[in-house]
Amino acid sequence: MGRHLHFDCFSGVSGDMMLGALVDAGLPWTTLVNGLKGLKLSGYRLRKRTVRRGSLEATKVDVIVGQGFERPLSLPRIRRIVAAGALPPAVKQRSLDVFDRLAEAEGTAHRTAGRKVRFHEVGVIDSLIDVVGSVLGCHLLDVTGATASAVNVGSGTVPTSHGPLPVPGPTVAVLAKGIPVYSEGPRCELATPTGMALLRTLVSDFGSTPTMKIAAVGCGAGDHDPENWPNVLRVFLSEPIAGGNRAMDRVIQIETNLDDLAPQVYEHVMDRLFQAGALDVALTPAIMKRGRPGVILTCLTAPERSEAILDVLFKETPTLGVRAQELSRLVLPRLVVPVKISGGTVRMKVATTADGMEKAAPEYRDCKAIADRTGLSLRSVMEEACRIYHAGRRTGRSTTTEIKPKS
């Protein structure tokens, strides 16, 4: 069983902040530098230094780029560089996943096909090193599971190659879908596209800090230094806890009894609850007072999303009151691994038990969307996703293909 990593994104996240935080938490500098030489890239050098951001000291990792290497790179060029590198297969694949997510998000934000995206703010060598270095750093630290807090995205506007844009910028806004975010502190961009894409690739759950046996704490700094604000990304690195690889976190269980809601409305209510951040929703048949048949609706959510869940229940159901209690939950650390099949991309939810047995299941919503779009059966889509994922595990090579733009 490896280690667990929690990202505390109280001041957002960026690629260089993540790399600096991992170094600050104990990632050996020489091992990192030598590992990145596997990319077989010239024209840059790495430097680390200690800086102060507000009241906190942090590690800043600088990628100093030589003259002539500032030109943005296309996605196919980045894929060729990473694929040709002498890196562990898992590091290669997850690094490619980060850039695939970036390309898809930029394409969505700017109405451009993913393969035709030319990265502007994120497509030069320093961002390539930040991404591969962060993924490699997690591998070298033996991180097998990761969580993150809600992400502070900042506020105001940010200058870009497209002109001033509101914070969060279009690409960050696309990448933030489904992630809890908020705005606090200085009026500037705190979460960058690179940082958000790394979180989406490395992190399985977003919420409060899980129960951890903390072995190291690291703070990583970016370039921006707002006055009187600790602009750092903080990480908590834990050692394996007793009892195998099970982790403990805290959730809120919210329940209400319903006996006067039309049956066809339940699907709508459940969809709204998941959109509000529910971890799970269950309906249990019950006999209510005076023998009336009814349903107990039970919802699990992270503590910081409980208000949003309550808003949905009071707005979308006839209930006048709910029961809420905080519970401990034992979970297996999970990874989300994108797998590309003939009809699109399916996220595989992967967990490993204490004795090394792996569990992998395709995300139902991804499979259903592909089945609806292509006319294939849902069962065949799910079976293909599982087959391609397990084939990749056996060979240690990428089994995915480049995402084709939608027509």
Side-chain angles (χ1 to χ4, degrees):
M1 172 56 192
R3 295 165 160 178
H4 184 85
L5 188 66
H6 182 76
F7 297 97
D8 182 14
C9 306
F10 70 90
S11 189
V13 61
S14 65
D16 54 348
M17 291 168 75
M18 187 175 292
L19 188 55
L22 293 175
V23 172
D24 203 53
L27 173 61
W29 178 250
T30 302
T31 306
L32 172 67
V33 172
N34 290 336
L36 286 171
K37 289 178 181 178
L39 281 175
K40 302 175 184 177
L41 276 177
S42 59
Y44 81 94
R45 63 185 178 89
L46 288 176
R47 178 184 67 185
K48 70 167 180 173
R49 53 196 172 101
T50 300
V51 299
R52 181 170 286 275
R53 297 288 186 263
S55 58
L56 294 177
E57 285 194 346
T59 294
K60 176 72 176 75
V61 174
D62 297 304
V63 183
I64 302 169
V65 181
Q67 194 170 19
F69 290 88
E70 303 90 351
R71 190 174 169 187
L73 303 172
S74 65
L75 177 61
R77 175 79 189 282
I78 290 172
R79 290 186 67 87
R80 287 195 296 270
I81 292 172
V82 175
L87 297 166
V91 173
K92 281 188 185 183
Q93 185 56 55
R94 303 196 86 183
S95 298
L96 292 172
D97 291 341
V98 173
F99 282 105
D100 282 343
R101 290 177 188 274
L102 276 168
E104 287 187 88
E106 289 227 358
T108 299
H110 302 298
R111 308 295 196 271
T112 304
R115 289 187 302 176
K116 296 180 180 179
V117 165
R118 182 169 290 274
F119 299 116
H120 295 285
E121 282 72 34
V122 301
V124 289
I125 288 180
D126 54 344
S127 292
L128 178 60
I129 297 300
D130 288 341
V131 168
V132 179
S134 295
V135 176
L136 177 63
C138 289
H139 176 79
L140 294 172
L141 288 170
D142 193 26
V143 172
T144 56
T147 53
S149 68
V151 181
N152 186 358
V153 296
S155 61
T157 60
V158 58
T160 74
S161 59
H162 305 282
L165 292 173
V167 172
T171 303
V172 171
V174 172
L175 288 164
K177 288 181 179 179
I179 293 177
V181 299
Y182 64 99
S183 176
E184 187 176 282
R187 291 180 61 81
C188 62
E189 178 186 55
L190 295 179
T192 69
T194 304
M196 291 297 288
L198 278 163
L199 285 183
R200 289 207 74 104
T201 303
L202 298 173
V203 169
S204 59
D205 288 302
F206 290 83
S208 56
T209 306
T211 301
M212 304 172 65
K213 182 179 178 182
I214 296 176
V217 180
C219 291
D223 291 318
H224 198 47
D225 186 14
E227 187 175 359
N228 298 322
W229 180 259
N231 188 33
V232 304
L233 172 68
R234 188 166 57 165
V235 298
F236 299 99
L237 183 66
S238 79
E239 297 291 355
I241 61 174
N245 61 341
R246 295 182 294 273
M248 182 179 291
D249 63 4
R250 305 291 291 178
V251 295
I252 303 296
Q253 179 176 287
I254 300 173
E255 280 190 342
T256 187
N257 293 3
L258 301 169
D259 61 5
D260 51 358
L261 185 65
Q264 61 266 34
V265 180
Y266 283 115
E267 182 180 10
H268 169 76
V269 173
M270 293 176 76
D271 286 342
R272 288 295 177 89
L273 289 170
F274 282 119
Q275 291 171 12
L279 299 171
D280 198 8
V281 182
L283 302 175
T284 305
I287 301 299
M288 306 299 183
K289 59 187 177 183
R290 288 186 282 277
R292 291 197 302 252
V295 168
I296 301 174
L297 188 155
T298 304
C299 181
L300 292 181
T301 183
E304 66 270 15
R305 302 303 302 166
S306 59
E307 286 298 322
I309 297 298
L310 291 172
D311 288 343
V312 172
L313 290 174
F314 285 123
K315 180 180 178 180
E316 300 287 352
T317 75
T319 188
L320 300 178
V322 302
R323 301 177 294 278
Q325 57 181 321
E326 187 174 8
L327 302 174
S328 296
R329 184 176 67 149
L330 288 169
V331 297
L332 291 175
R334 282 158 284 175
L335 300 175
V336 177
V337 180
V339 171
K340 292 170 192 172
I341 65 174
S342 55
T345 301
V346 175
R347 289 168 293 176
M348 297 291 295
K349 295 174 287 187
V350 183
T352 305
T353 62
D355 60 2
M357 185 184 75
E358 184 178 88
K359 299 180 178 182
E363 173 60 50
Y364 166 78
R365 288 172 295 179
D366 294 346
C367 296
K368 183 178 183 300
I370 292 173
D372 290 342
R373 186 173 64 252
T374 63
L376 297 169
S377 71
L378 177 61
R379 179 178 177 181
S380 66
V381 173
M382 297 178 77
E383 287 177 348
E384 183 182 359
C386 292
R387 184 174 65 255
I388 291 178
Y389 171 77
H390 289 297
R393 293 288 290 168
R394 286 194 300 270
T395 62
R397 299 193 301 270
S398 168
T399 56
T400 62
T401 56
E402 194 165 321
I403 296 175
K404 297 181 179 180
K406 297 178 183 178
S407 57

